[in-house]
Amino acid sequence: MLRWRIASTFMCLGLIGLVATVPSGTSLSLGQGVLMDEAPRTDERWQLPRPRPDRPSPPISSYTISELSVQASIQNQLAETQVTQTFRNTGSRQIEARFVFPIPYEGAIDQMTFLVDGQEFEAKLLPADEARRIYQGYLQRNQDPALVQWLGTGMFQTSVFPIPVGASRTVTLRYSQLLRRDGNLTDYLFPLSTARYTSLPIEKLSIRVALAESEEIKNVYSPTHELEIKRDDARNVVVTGQWTNMVPNTDLRLVYDVAVGPLSASVLSTWPQEEEQGYFVLLARPTFDLQAVPPQQKNVVFVVDQSGSMSGEKIQQAREAAKFVLQNLRPNDHFNIISYHSTVQMLSPEPLVFNDQSRSQAMGFVNGIHPGGMTNIDEALTKAFTTLPDNALPSYLVFLTDGLPTVGEKNEMKIAASCRRLNHAKARMISFGVGFDVNSRLLDRLSRDHRGQSEYVLPNEDLEAAVARLYSKISTPVVTNMVIKFNGEGHKAEQGPLVDQIYPRDHSELYAGNQLVLVGRYRQGGQVTVTVNGRVGDEDQEFDFDLKLSTRGENSKFPLVSKLWAMRRIGELIDEIDLEGKNTELVNELTSLSLKHGIITPFTSYLADENSVPLADMAGQRGLTTQGLQSLAEVSGETGVSGRSFKQSNKLAENLMGLEQRNSAQSLRGPGNTTGGMSASGQSLPPRMSRLGRENRPPPSANAGPGALGEAPERDGQNAGSTSLSGLRKVGSWTLYKRGNLLIADNAVDVDLEKADAQIQTIKRFSSEWQTLLSENTPAENLLLAEQQPDEELIVRLREVVYRIQ
């Protein structure tokens, strides 16, 4: 056995929402600031704008951000960033604008340039004490808490420049910054969420970050946004994202590591003081030299539906999908192709060895696939599992169907049981359901039983692209039979396993060019050794990584890690309820996790309804969850397929932004309604909630058309068949539930407001008590207080005290 030990260190990340004071060890990118109107006035207070669809007309002084572009290059830790944003005056009088943006205590910023429409303007660096006076002056003068999260930071502010009514000004900021690196992990944070101070959603937002290092770049990961990651070579990576009509509610976070060796690993973790266990995300990426260590040979069987319902464009795309699989086989792989309608046809009675001759034979078979007949799923899968050789090679069964079983065995449970008996090769099964007429529960059951996943291709989506995207990720296994172990200093076996509730459940393979994102919980912080054992080529190898997990209560390293874990756990809970049936424990956990982490599902959409049962009424909420879960009885149709597509997306969630929007859209869609809802942050939500945000997958483009990520809602707010998300807001890592004029923070949902008045401390906004509270809070806590609107009261738990802020 070949054994590797690779030293790596956990980076203590401190995501705090907006630009704010950050803990030592975190690099904070500047650049996204706000406009402050310096025009004298006596008729009204000026406040930073927010998206308000219910506002009949814009206030006297207001602006929108029509375009925001972030262009950054990071080379050996030095980040050079250019931010360009276009402000449009949507108010009824001229804005005398001063551009203001905060800086961290230890911001290593130099070469800062500020331009307005190409003309350079003066910008001053103000120390924290002087900046505090400006922040507090704005706070008292305008009675607007928007800037409280910046108290204690320094500030850059510009000289005043005018923006006439209806006019636009393009502001450009350029600066250089030395990013911090802890061990081999570099952290880039761009405070994107400050852009939520705009009266309408941002019309166009684009991000491009180019990474260049002298050593090989391994893991590249954003827990916050769904980004395209393109690798030009081992040391150069370009990360991009583009959205339209959206309001950011969280900052952009991008981490990457550099390392030597064929396998790298890094970990992000957090352990809230009030919880018994911490949360972690483990990143692992193989970079083996495929010339020196050839990928393992594999067995592949592609099973394609050719029933009558596959006629037209679907059968053409199915043929192209089969050809894609063929073109991505490697020499000496074993393969077969099976097509089925009322009967079953096989390319060969036995698997073929892939070479030029067998490839030509297979292409002829694929070209001869024509639609007609019924859907004999059972016989097709029987032939597929029977033909797979038990030769110790990794095996994959790619199964495609657009309908219910209509001939042969039709019983879902019997089909699944037969497949379990026949899978002697321990094949991993990837199922594609095309359209709404499939038995989605059968596909999910087959995927779970055989360590795979289901992918649902909705009408008018490209089947070939779906198969190509997913198959390309598993086409080149480089580590198989993999086992990951965590060993902590001083941890004893009688204390139980160090880590548990790890997802995905099956993580026994690593693929060339792809990154494993593993989430779980742990019982002991501090130094740990992560050992990866697996088969590489013809020999067993072992890799050791020295990492660090956050200790309990350690300064909020990465709070969003807990939400990412909760997303996957919720997907697993729904899967278990769907396939094994409801029980009280599962329903209770699904309800509690959804409420605690603000994760809206099709079965807990009542949480976004401000007229729903009180948050502290857990019995009432469990009843509503149970009622919502009844929709799982539908195995086909839009409701059945969309609900299972939702849970599959959650089970494989890798970041928060795209998935939260898709979850909300799916949760709020009524039966038969394919329109999107409106998100907690003000942007509209797409009807399609599935798509795995993985490497080399582009995010929705600016011209993706209706349903694209972040598409703006109709201004009249009408959306037949959907429920408003007005009862829920998200800011940073917080979830706020709106009930009437109350905003209830996710850490205070257990407070019975009708019985606990004696346990609640009431304070007035802008009072001396409130000012004292601000000084005691962390920036993340002040970010929450900044969200409170003038007509709202906030219920929040801070340092074990429940406050009612009026």
Side-chain angles (χ1 to χ4, degrees):
M1 174 186 291
L2 183 60
R3 183 180 181 91
W4 301 72
R5 175 169 289 277
I6 304 170
S8 182
T9 307
F10 169 71
M11 186 172 191
C12 299
L13 303 178
L15 182 60
I16 53 175
L18 303 191
V19 183
T21 305
V22 292
S24 176
T26 299
S27 300
L28 179 61
S29 168
L30 305 184
Q32 172 55 45
V34 297
L35 289 185
M36 297 178 65
D37 188 356
E38 298 292 329
R41 60 176 58 82
T42 58
D43 53 339
E44 67 166 355
R45 294 188 177 100
W46 183 78
Q47 296 187 339
L48 290 174
R50 282 86 160 173
R52 292 288 299 273
D54 58 334
R55 181 177 286 159
S57 61
I60 294 175
S61 183
S62 180
Y63 66 81
T64 64
I65 303 174
S66 58
E67 185 171 354
L68 172 59
S69 171
V70 181
Q71 304 282 328
S73 61
I74 303 173
Q75 186 167 7
N76 296 324
Q77 291 183 253
L78 181 63
E80 296 187 357
T81 303
Q82 175 172 301
V83 187
T84 301
Q85 48 193 343
T86 300
F87 294 94
R88 184 168 59 246
N89 183 350
T90 55
S92 57
R93 67 179 173 200
Q94 178 167 296
I95 295 176
E96 299 298 329
R98 186 188 301 276
F99 190 69
V100 173
F101 46 91
I103 62 171
Y105 284 127
E106 301 180 26
I109 305 296
D110 60 15
Q111 298 181 358
M112 179 169 284
T113 305
F114 182 80
L115 301 98
V116 179
D117 290 341
Q119 178 183 352
E120 186 168 347
F121 270 66
E122 179 185 5
K124 293 182 179 179
L125 171 61
L126 304 180
D129 289 344
E130 187 174 349
R132 176 182 287 272
R133 288 194 293 271
I134 294 176
Y135 290 138
Q136 290 179 329
Y138 171 85
L139 179 68
Q140 294 298 330
R141 183 170 61 254
N142 297 297
Q143 298 287 284
D144 182 7
L147 304 183
V148 298
Q149 70 272 16
W150 295 342
L151 292 173
T153 71
M155 168 196 293
F156 274 96
Q157 72 170 10
T158 71
S159 54
V160 174
F161 56 94
I163 308 180
V165 175
S168 297
R169 292 289 183 267
T170 297
V171 171
T172 301
L173 181 66
R174 303 181 188 134
Y175 59 89
S176 300
Q177 180 183 19
L178 182 64
L179 303 181
R180 293 184 179 272
R181 179 178 291 172
D182 191 340
N184 64 340
L185 190 63
T186 299
D187 176 29
Y188 181 75
L189 169 64
F190 184 82
L192 189 62
S193 59
T194 55
R196 79 183 194 275
Y197 294 120
T198 171
S199 59
L200 291 173
I202 299 173
E203 295 173 14
K204 182 179 180 182
L205 168 63
S206 61
I207 295 169
R208 184 182 188 275
V209 183
L211 309 178
E213 292 284 345
S214 56
E215 295 181 355
E216 188 170 357
I217 300 172
K218 298 298 183 72
N219 294 291
V220 180
Y221 175 61
S222 173
T224 57
H225 290 74
E226 189 173 6
L227 302 170
E228 179 185 9
I229 300 173
K230 181 179 179 181
R231 296 177 183 269
D232 294 330
D233 55 43
R235 295 174 175 81
N236 292 277
V237 178
V238 177
V239 182
T240 58
Q242 187 166 287
W243 302 270
T244 59
N245 295 340
M246 59 95 71
V247 179
N249 65 0
T250 190
D251 298 325
L252 169 69
R253 199 62 175 264
L254 182 68
V255 295
Y256 69 94
D257 61 16
V258 295
V260 296
L263 181 65
S264 65
S266 295
V267 67
L268 313 174
S269 67
T270 186
W271 191 342
Q273 178 66 44
E274 67 275 11
E275 300 202 33
E276 296 300 318
Q277 291 182 272
Y279 304 85
F280 72 87
V281 172
L282 178 71
L283 307 174
R285 185 174 187 273
T287 53
F288 292 90
D289 182 350
L290 299 184
Q291 300 298 321
V293 183
Q296 293 201 25
Q297 298 173 21
K298 60 185 180 293
N299 305 311
V300 178
V301 175
F302 187 86
V303 183
V304 58
D305 187 345
Q306 64 170 123
S307 59
S309 58
M310 286 287 293
S311 60
E313 188 176 9
K314 284 195 289 187
I315 199 66
Q316 296 176 22
Q317 292 181 356
R319 292 192 200 102
E320 295 304 314
K323 291 177 181 179
F324 179 88
V325 172
L326 284 171
Q327 291 164 355
N328 284 271
L329 293 172
R330 291 181 171 271
N332 298 317
D333 281 346
H334 297 76
F335 77 101
N336 210 338
I337 300 176
I338 296 174
S339 64
Y340 67 97
H341 41 67
S342 302
T343 59
V344 177
Q345 294 76 42
M346 302 177 65
L347 168 64
S348 171
E350 302 291 337
L352 301 176
V353 176
F354 184 71
N355 52 38
D356 289 344
Q357 181 179 351
S358 60
R359 178 183 178 279
S360 178
Q361 180 182 349
M363 286 293 185
F365 180 85
V366 170
N367 288 331
I369 295 176
H370 299 286
M374 303 177 74
T375 310
N376 194 342
I377 289 177
D378 182 61
E379 185 179 351
L381 290 177
T382 297
K383 293 284 183 67
F385 280 115
T386 302
T387 193
L388 276 167
D390 185 8
N391 57 6
L393 296 179
S395 298
Y396 304 91
L397 195 159
V398 181
F399 176 66
L400 186 154
T401 185
D402 80 330
L404 305 168
T406 56
V407 66
E409 181 59 66
K410 304 173 189 176
N411 183 275
E412 170 189 329
M413 301 300 289
K414 291 182 178 179
I415 294 173
S418 173
C419 291
R420 289 194 297 270
R421 286 194 306 270
L422 295 171
N423 191 5
H424 304 296
K426 299 180 180 178
R428 192 182 295 272
M429 184 171 179
I430 312 298
S431 301
F432 291 90
V434 183
F436 292 132
D437 295 329
V438 299
N439 184 331
S440 56
R441 188 173 61 197
L442 170 61
L443 297 188
D444 281 6
R445 191 180 301 279
L446 292 170
S447 297
R448 186 197 65 170
D449 288 349
H450 305 288
R451 305 178 302 119
Q453 70 183 78
S454 304
E455 177 84 352
Y456 294 97
V457 184
L458 302 191
N460 301 320
E461 291 188 332
D462 191 330
L463 170 60
E464 178 193 354
V467 173
R469 180 176 55 252
L470 191 52
Y471 179 78
S472 64
K473 300 179 187 306
I474 63 172
S475 62
T476 312
V478 291
V479 182
T480 58
N481 301 325
M482 185 174 68
V483 177
I484 300 176
K485 297 179 180 179
F486 286 71
N487 298 291
E489 289 184 358
H491 186 76
K492 299 178 181 178
E494 56 266 26
Q495 296 175 292
L498 177 64
V499 298
D500 61 6
Q501 293 185 298
I502 298 173
Y503 308 110
R505 292 183 184 274
D506 183 273
H507 44 270
S508 58
E509 294 167 356
L510 285 176
Y511 303 95
N514 283 276
Q515 179 174 278
L516 173 67
V517 179
L518 195 69
V519 306
R521 305 205 64 179
Y522 63 93
R523 292 184 171 86
Q524 176 182 302
Q527 292 299 132
V528 296
T529 298
V530 176
T531 301
V532 179
N533 291 287
R535 186 95 179 151
V536 180
D538 296 328
E539 64 178 338
D540 294 328
Q541 295 195 23
E542 182 175 292
F543 304 85
D544 289 329
F545 301 92
D546 297 323
L547 305 172
K548 182 180 181 293
L549 296 171
S550 299
T551 56
R552 188 172 187 173
E554 194 174 340
N555 188 22
S556 185
K557 306 304 183 190
F558 209 142
L560 292 180
V561 168
S562 62
K563 185 169 290 190
L564 188 60
W565 174 87
M567 282 183 166
R568 290 198 183 180
R569 175 60 182 164
I570 283 173
E572 293 288 340
L573 287 170
I574 297 171
D575 199 42
E576 191 167 351
I577 292 170
D578 184 22
L579 302 182
E580 303 297 335
K582 295 190 294 288
N583 66 55
T584 302
E585 290 77 11
L586 296 178
V587 172
N588 288 353
E589 187 177 358
L590 173 60
T591 303
S592 298
L593 283 177
S594 296
L595 177 62
K596 177 180 178 180
H597 295 278
I599 299 172
I600 306 303
T601 76
F603 321 106
T604 58
S605 58
Y606 60 85
L607 292 174
D609 181 1
E610 59 181 304
N611 299 313
S612 185
V613 299
L615 296 175
D617 181 5
M618 290 304 296
Q621 292 187 61
R622 287 192 293 268
L624 291 175
T625 302
T626 300
Q627 180 179 340
L629 289 167
Q630 292 175 1
S631 64
L632 288 174
E634 297 188 41
V635 300
S636 61
E638 182 178 357
T639 298
V641 171
S642 296
R644 291 179 176 88
S645 182
F646 163 88
K647 74 173 180 181
Q648 292 293 333
S649 296
N650 267 61
K651 287 172 66 175
L652 295 167
E654 292 190 356
N655 55 71
L656 300 180
M657 179 182 173
L659 186 63
E660 280 190 340
Q661 291 178 325
R662 288 188 291 265
N663 283 2
S664 298
Q666 170 58 14
S667 303
L668 303 181
R669 189 189 310 164
N673 175 33
T674 57
T675 60
M678 186 172 179
S679 82
S681 58
Q683 65 263 42
S684 71
L685 299 162
R688 178 63 164 136
M689 62 275 149
S690 161
R691 280 303 168 249
L692 309 179
R694 297 259 205 321
E695 213 165 274
N696 295 323
R697 178 180 179 257
S701 65
N703 55 4
L709 175 62
E711 180 188 3
E714 294 296 326
R715 301 314 302 166
D716 61 6
Q718 298 300 311
N719 190 1
S722 68
T723 305
S724 173
L725 256 174
S726 62
L728 183 145
R729 292 184 205 162
K730 295 188 178 182
V731 55
S733 61
W734 295 94
T735 298
L736 289 166
Y737 296 95
K738 184 172 174 60
R739 298 296 184 264
N741 72 327
L742 290 180
L743 278 183
I744 304 172
D746 50 27
N747 67 353
V749 295
D750 60 329
V751 178
D752 190 332
L753 299 176
E754 296 181 358
K755 299 179 181 179
D757 288 343
Q759 303 173 22
I760 299 177
Q761 183 173 337
T762 300
I763 62 175
K764 298 285 188 180
R765 285 204 310 171
F766 311 114
S767 66
S768 58
E769 293 86 357
W770 185 77
Q771 296 275 7
T772 300
L773 189 65
L774 293 181
S775 65
E776 296 173 348
N777 282 349
T778 66
E781 291 166 342
N782 279 338
L783 170 62
L784 182 65
L785 270 61
E787 187 65 20
Q788 184 180 0
Q789 301 296 310
D791 57 345
E792 296 171 338
E793 297 185 9
L794 174 65
I795 308 295
V796 61
R797 181 178 279 113
L798 300 170
R799 294 171 292 282
E800 304 304 320
V801 177
V802 177
Y803 291 93
R804 185 176 191 137
I805 303 176
Q806 298 179 328

